[in-house]
Amino acid sequence: MLLDSLPSDWQQLLQAELQKPYLTELLSKVEKVYASNPGQIYPPKSQLFAAFQFCAEAHLKVVILGQDPYPSKGHANGLCFSVASDVKPLPKSLHSIFKERKADLQLPDLPNGNLEHWAKQGVLLLNSVLTVDEGKPDSHKNWGWEQFTDAVIQKIATEKHQVVFILWGAKAQAKAEYIDASKHLILKAVHPSPLAAYRGFFGCKHFSKTNAFLRMVGAREIQW
């Protein structure tokens, strides 16, 4: 079963949601498309819940929201905005993210676009939709993933304290309604896509603002 790859710590937090009929139906549908279209559904089945596998629930500090996985072969690895280590050139949105990271923190370029090292430090890199057909962006939109990931955000916002929510673009910013700004830090900017990045993404300084907040609450900074 697909849920077997969702770590037990997250299963415990999301216990009530995991028992709802819509999720059973969704996961059955996703299981069937993985079986009938091997190698053409992204991310690979083993990486479906990678965002949760790399980010331990107890260590959660930051949530970054994406939309759906990259639909290009070999790109998606289950973490929003992230790609497999051998992908060159980088997707344009990720290139913008790295450009802002470098300018904000005065850091050298990262060796590749795999963001597992962010996730392992407590950054949940969560897409709103967790699967996609090859070459077809938004192909699994409205299957039910949005209901599940909205529930994840709501549960984190309710159960946790002092989490940084980084919301890039209008779709991500719409999730702010689930988050109590008196308990958490909400950072908003336009989407890092090439069409929007110069309208407020560049210069948003979300990396340094996140670390300043984490320092203030006594948590370890993220090594971006």
Side-chain angles (χ1 to χ4, degrees):
M1 287 179 57
L2 289 176
L3 270 184
D4 291 343
S5 62
L6 182 66
S8 58
D9 55 346
W10 286 101
Q11 288 200 33
Q12 186 171 349
L13 183 73
L14 301 168
Q15 186 175 11
E17 197 68 23
L18 299 182
Q19 296 172 2
K20 292 183 178 179
Y22 87 88
L23 191 61
T24 302
E25 294 172 11
L26 166 64
L27 293 176
S28 175
K29 184 175 184 177
V30 171
E31 189 85 68
K32 287 175 182 174
V33 296
Y34 270 122
S36 60
N37 301 283
Q40 297 175 33
I41 306 298
Y42 303 138
K45 189 175 176 180
S46 62
Q47 296 176 318
L48 175 63
F49 292 118
F52 303 95
Q53 291 166 351
F54 285 105
C55 177
E57 182 266 330
H59 298 152
L60 178 67
K61 300 176 185 175
V62 181
V63 178
I64 298 179
L65 297 178
Q67 294 175 6
D68 65 342
Y70 296 116
S72 302
K73 187 175 180 64
H75 280 48
N77 66 355
L79 307 173
C80 75
F81 295 110
S82 176
V83 290
S85 301
D86 59 352
V87 171
K88 295 282 171 57
L90 296 178
K92 292 178 180 178
S93 292
L94 184 57
H95 179 76
S96 295
I97 291 167
F98 279 7
K99 184 175 179 179
E100 174 59 21
R101 167 195 170 273
K102 185 175 184 178
D104 183 12
L105 301 175
Q106 305 299 307
L107 290 174
D109 291 326
L110 290 168
N112 57 63
N114 191 330
L115 303 180
E116 287 177 10
H117 63 293
W118 289 6
K120 289 175 181 177
Q121 296 176 74
V123 181
L124 184 66
L125 295 162
L126 182 66
N127 275 315
S128 293
V129 175
L130 299 190
T131 52
V132 71
D133 289 339
E134 181 176 352
K136 299 178 182 177
D138 280 341
S139 49
H140 295 186
K141 182 179 179 182
N142 297 326
W143 279 23
W145 281 128
E146 296 92 340
Q147 185 173 345
F148 172 68
T149 54
D150 281 359
V152 172
I153 295 163
Q154 289 176 279
K155 196 67 174 176
I156 291 170
T158 302
E159 299 289 331
K160 299 285 188 177
H161 293 271
Q162 300 172 333
V163 174
V164 182
F165 288 85
I166 297 179
L167 310 179
W168 293 332
K171 289 183 180 179
Q173 288 175 26
K175 312 299 185 186
E177 67 176 292
Y178 304 132
I179 305 162
D180 183 348
S182 69
K183 290 173 56 180
H184 306 285
L185 176 64
I186 303 173
L187 297 175
K188 298 180 182 180
V190 298
H191 196 273
S193 65
L195 294 175
Y198 286 97
R199 300 202 302 268
F201 179 77
F202 293 134
C204 69
K205 299 187 180 299
H206 283 181
F207 300 102
S208 60
K209 288 177 180 177
T210 294
N211 279 353
F213 177 82
L214 294 175
R215 282 197 307 272
M216 184 183 73
V217 300
R220 182 175 295 180
E221 297 178 25
I222 304 298
Q223 299 301 310
W224 298 106

